[in-house]
């Protein structure tokens, strides 16, 4: 059945999907091994956390620029080049770890370069999908990509990364380097996409402004971007202290906390399996509106409960929602945005998402420190209720998209 579905999506998508699966495994391995590497070099919590920030920072700095280059350049060649460069960075990191010559600055630099490559490759990949998949199959393609991310990155790769690090500290980074080289080879076999018309004369700033202007003038896309940007602020504010919530509110130990985290993955995988059928049955508008209500209800339920099983059930539902929303919103964007602007609009959306996440992470710690551990969750529930009310009417336009 899976082979038949892949065939319907086309050979080029199958190659792109396989490359995504391979690189997602490698990414997950590094996400697990990276903190272990930094922790082996320092006991300073700020320095350990700084490694994650080093990989996130490029999204704040370069999301708009990367979107513009994803529209300027051949997206297939861009993905291949970036994956090869990421393979070189990881190969160099693996060698430095194996020879005992690495240090915190070198790790930060490697993660910053990987994050920079991610802004280019991820934006170009998202913009490339509509060019190789028929419009009526976009939802299925997006669901397939998100399911692969959930299984490969969240379930398989992270325990594998920790295990490889236990065998040899350099090994996970070497494996990730190979994964990017394989992904580059697979993407290179995708047929070239016809050139896109350029906007005309103008520099990089003019091109970025054109993408931002299009996004702001499109009511539905603007509503989706702002809704998720604001939602990310309150979500990350609440979940920045999730480990403390699990320990003090739910009375869970480390094992219980780890099991609770898996509920996101369980819900996410279920959501990707259901997204296409739910979209066909209920329509985009109903799913988007329901998603905002689920977000509000999730935060309120977590703030109110002290029962781990209740929290786990809530998080499974939340995981389903995130994937269904992701498939629906991504498909709507791919159908609405002109091909020549796809990279820039995707980059602008990513900037809003990541900016909201970064601001929320800072806000959550401060709020929990000065009030209570549940205060960020109650705040998130209130804000999401307001967002749902404000976005309710504009989301009606999803019916005609």
């Amino acid at each position: 059945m899976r082979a038949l579905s892949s065939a319907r999506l086309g050979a080029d998508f199958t190659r792109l999907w396989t490359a995504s699966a391979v690189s997602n495994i490698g990414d997950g391995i590094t996400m697990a091994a990276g903190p272990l590497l930094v922790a082996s070099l320092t006991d300073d919590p700020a320095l350990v956390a700084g490694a994650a920030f080093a990989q996130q920072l490029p999204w704040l700095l370069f999301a708009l620029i990367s979107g513009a280059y994803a529209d300027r350049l051949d997206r297939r060649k861009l993905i291949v080049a970036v994956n090869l460069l990421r393979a070189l960075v990881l190969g160099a990191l693996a060698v430095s770890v194996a020879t005992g010559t690495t240090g915190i600055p070198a790790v930060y630099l490697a993660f910053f370069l990987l994050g920079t490559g991610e802004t280019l490759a991820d934006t170009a990949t998202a913009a490339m999908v509509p060019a190789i998949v028929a419009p009526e199959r976009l939802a299925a393609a997006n669901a397939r990509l998100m399911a692969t991310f959930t299984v490969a990155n969240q379930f398989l790769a992270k325990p594998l990364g920790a295990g490889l690090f236990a065998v040899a500290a350099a090994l996970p980074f070497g494996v990730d380097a190979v994964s990017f080289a394989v992904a580059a080879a697979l993407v290179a076999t995708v047929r070239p996409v016809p050139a896109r018309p350029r906007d005309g004369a103008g520099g990089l700033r003019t091109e970025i402004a054109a993408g931002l202007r299009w996004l702001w003038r499109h009511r539905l896309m603007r509503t989706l971007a702002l809704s998720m940007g604001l939602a990310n602020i309150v979500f990350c504010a609440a979940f920045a202290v999730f480990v403390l919530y699990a320990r003090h509110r739910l009375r869970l130990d480390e094992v219980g906390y780890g099991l609770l985290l898996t509920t996101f993955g369980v819900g996410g995988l279920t959501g990707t399996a259901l997204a296409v059928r739910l979209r066909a049955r209920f329509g985009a508008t109903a799913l988007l509106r329901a998603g905002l209500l689920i977000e509000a209800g999730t935060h309120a339920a977590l703030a109110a409960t002290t029962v781990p099983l209740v929290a786990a059930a809530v998080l499974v539902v939340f995981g389903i929602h995130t994937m269904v929303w992701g498939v629906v919103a991504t498909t709507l964007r791919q159908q609405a945005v002109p091909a020549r602007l796809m990279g820039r609009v995707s980059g602008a959306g990513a900037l809003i998402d990541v900016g909201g996440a970064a601001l929320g992470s800072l806000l959550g710690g401060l709020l929990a420190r000065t009030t209570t551990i549940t205060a960020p969750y109650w705040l998130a529930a209130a804000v999401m209720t307001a967002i749902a009310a404000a976005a309710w009417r504009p989301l009606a336009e999803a019916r005609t998209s």
Side-chain angles (χ1 to χ4, degrees):
M1 183 63 71
R2 181 171 296 178
L4 179 60
S5 178
S6 296
R8 289 174 180 169
L9 290 169
D12 286 330
F13 174 78
T14 299
R15 297 184 185 103
L16 187 66
W17 170 57
T18 305
S20 176
V22 171
S23 61
N24 267 314
I25 291 175
D27 271 346
I29 287 173
T30 294
M31 285 177 65
L36 295 173
L37 174 62
V38 179
S40 71
L41 298 172
T42 179
D43 292 326
D44 187 336
L47 290 177
V48 174
F53 180 72
Q55 194 162 1
Q56 294 172 342
L57 181 60
W59 282 103
L60 297 174
L61 298 178
F62 306 131
L64 294 177
I65 297 173
S66 294
Y69 278 108
D71 286 338
R72 276 187 171 193
L73 305 176
D74 183 313
R75 290 165 183 160
R76 181 178 64 95
K77 292 180 180 179
L78 178 61
I79 296 169
V80 171
V82 168
N83 281 342
L84 289 175
L85 290 173
R86 287 195 284 185
L88 288 175
V89 170
L90 282 160
L93 179 61
V95 170
S96 68
V97 172
T99 56
T101 57
T102 195
I104 296 295
V107 175
Y108 279 17
L109 176 60
F111 282 14
F112 181 82
L113 292 174
L114 291 173
T116 301
E118 187 177 47
T119 68
L120 288 162
D122 285 8
T123 303
T125 299
M128 190 173 171
V129 171
I132 61 175
V133 176
E136 67 274 11
R137 300 292 294 162
L138 281 173
N142 290 320
R144 177 65 58 82
L145 288 168
M146 291 182 184
T148 302
F149 171 81
T150 302
V151 173
N153 193 282
Q154 302 297 309
F155 281 123
L156 300 179
K158 289 182 179 176
L160 178 59
L164 291 173
F165 187 87
V167 173
L171 188 56
F173 308 106
V175 170
D176 195 7
V178 172
S179 79
F180 278 122
V182 171
L186 286 166
V187 176
T189 64
V190 176
R191 288 175 298 177
V193 177
R196 302 171 302 279
R198 291 286 297 275
D199 290 338
L204 191 64
R205 183 178 298 179
T206 301
E207 293 180 15
I208 291 172
L212 291 171
R213 188 162 51 248
W214 187 95
L215 177 61
W216 185 253
R217 289 175 177 174
H218 195 288
R219 189 185 188 202
L220 177 60
M221 292 299 109
R222 181 179 74 241
T223 299
L224 290 175
L226 293 179
S227 294
M228 279 300 95
L230 293 171
N232 270 347
I233 293 176
V234 294
F235 171 83
C236 290
F239 282 84
V241 294
F242 188 66
V243 63
L244 300 178
Y245 166 86
R247 179 183 300 171
H248 300 302
R249 182 74 174 173
L250 302 180
R251 305 296 181 185
L252 292 175
D253 59 13
E254 288 78 5
V255 174
Y257 170 68
L259 291 173
L260 189 63
L261 288 179
T262 65
T263 59
F264 286 104
V266 171
L269 190 58
T270 305
T272 58
L274 296 175
V276 176
R277 281 177 286 177
L278 290 174
R279 187 174 183 269
R281 173 67 179 82
F282 297 105
T285 291
L287 292 178
L288 293 172
R289 286 172 170 173
L292 294 177
L293 297 178
I294 288 171
E295 294 236 4
T298 294
H299 295 300
L302 291 177
T305 191
T306 59
V307 181
L309 286 178
V310 172
V314 169
L315 292 175
V316 169
V317 174
F318 181 78
I320 293 172
H321 144 68
T322 58
M323 288 300 166
V324 171
W325 176 286
V327 169
V328 172
T330 300
T331 302
L332 286 171
R333 183 175 68 246
Q334 291 168 342
Q335 292 172 335
V337 181
R340 70 182 190 280
L341 293 169
M342 187 67 71
R344 280 165 283 176
V345 175
S346 297
L351 176 63
I352 294 171
D353 282 350
V354 176
L359 180 59
S361 295
L362 294 175
L363 175 64
L366 294 173
L367 188 60
R369 176 190 291 176
T370 56
T371 55
T372 67
I373 199 67
T374 57
Y377 295 90
W378 287 121
L379 174 64
V383 171
M384 288 310 306
T385 301
I387 291 173
W392 200 265
R393 291 185 65 182
L395 289 179
E397 296 182 12
R399 292 195 185 100
T400 59
S401 298

